[in-house]
Amino acid sequence: MKRRQFNLKLAGITGLGVGIASGLIPISALANWPTAAFDTETTEDAANALFGGAEMIETDAITFKAPDIAENGRVVPVNVNVGLNSIEEIALMVPENPAPLVSTFVMSNQSNVAVGTRIKMGKTSPLVAVVKADGKVYTATSKEIKVTIGGCGG
Amino acid sequence: MAIKCKAKMKDGMVEVKALMKHEMETGLRKDSKTGEPIPAHHITEVVCMHDGSELFRCNMGPAISKNPYLSFTVSGPNVGDTLQLSYVDNMGESDSGEAVVK
């Protein structure tokens, strides 16, 4: 509860940051960590903070490689393959985490990119990827990853 | 504690794999003895440079696992080129590493 209040306050303070992230300045020109996006509590808010509320297109071109059951939520290996052209940014999210945005990968005009990392998951959740490519914003959701031991706090 | 990294040419794309040593503290955990919250301490940015320009950047949140592993594919560098990787965390600490594309 405390954390929630703190975040709400922080959201107020970083209102300016949201303005910047919403497209007044291109994200690539901003070498700063997107604080506002990492502080959001829903995937929609995180996507809006990153991509300025652009319409998201569901696509099959984004595929995930992740375990069906993650026994330890502290270390879940995930791979995201994006079969699109002119990719600028890939955002990886776990909707059920306290802060859904896990990481963003920024590049310039790459095609068919694969990124992989190991993430923490609080509880059973699918993965969501939001990709900015060729001026459009695409999204895809993975199948659910079952987590038996959570990896957030405790 | 340099960043361990490898870069390999595969089907015209360079596949980079990197392993960093970092606690990646979320800020949500509490000290089991005192009950005091443990402050967040995690990597925020990992940057891969090639030939003086930024090739790839990863903004990490606290939800990346301890001792982060990162892999990505990029096109651009050729075999024999050197890639520089570096990270910065939210407390201003940094580290770097290099890999030659094989």
Side-chain angles (χ1 to χ4, degrees), chain B residues 4 8 11 27-28 34 44 46-47 49 53 59 62 77 87 92 102:
Chain B
K4 267 190 188 173
K8 198 176 176 189
D11 304 330
L28 302 175
T34 61
T44 51
V46 181
V47 179
M49 302 284 287
S53 62
N59 293 308
Y87 78 67
K102 282 180 183 161

Side-chain angles (χ1 to χ4, degrees), chain B residues 16-35:
Chain B
V16 184
K17 291 177 179 176
L19 200 55
M20 290 146 265
K21 269 206 148 119
H22 203 283
E23 271 307 306
M24 299 303 278
E25 198 57 64
T26 59
L28 302 175
R29 294 199 310 147
K30 284 184 177 139
D31 191 302
S32 56
K33 285 182 190 131
T34 61

